[in-house]
Amino acid sequence: MTVAGSSVFSPEDVTVLRGALGEWCLEKRIDIKSAEAEFAATAAIGLFQSGYNTSEKLLAAMREHKGL
């Protein structure tokens, strides 16, 4: 949800984002604390806000994302 120009995420949203990012990092063999994972997290947030709101959908979108 967007409120006054800033994003507000529920605990469930964070769980979805963290799950997809964690799985993506495992697949790519990337440390989740790395700069590359931070970039991927930013992309994941954008995808999530575009409607990829389950871990499965979000992970699939991350796999297909051109910049990741």
Side-chain angles (χ1 to χ4, degrees), residues 15-27:
T15 299
V16 168
L17 286 159
R18 178 60 173 87
L21 180 63
E23 184 63 31
W24 184 87
C25 285
L26 282 174
E27 290 177 4

Side-chain angles (χ1 to χ4, degrees), residues 1 3 9 12 16 18 20 27-28 34 38 40 58 60 67-68:
M1 170 179 15
V3 178
F9 297 101
E12 293 81 14
V16 168
R18 178 60 173 87
E27 290 177 4
K28 299 288 185 176
S34 69
E38 187 175 328
L58 183 55
L68 297 179

Side-chain angles (χ1 to χ4, degrees), residues 1-62:
M1 170 179 15
T2 302
V3 178
S6 64
S7 297
V8 177
F9 297 101
S10 72
E12 293 81 14
D13 295 343
V14 173
T15 299
V16 168
L17 286 159
R18 178 60 173 87
L21 180 63
E23 184 63 31
W24 184 87
C25 285
L26 282 174
E27 290 177 4
K28 299 288 185 176
R29 295 188 175 124
I30 295 169
D31 183 348
I32 199 158
K33 296 179 183 178
S34 69
E36 190 171 357
E38 187 175 328
F39 178 79
T42 300
I45 289 169
L47 291 166
F48 182 87
Q49 291 174 324
S50 294
Y52 299 94
N53 56 2
T54 68
S55 289
E56 295 79 18
K57 289 179 185 177
L58 183 55
L59 180 57
M62 290 175 73

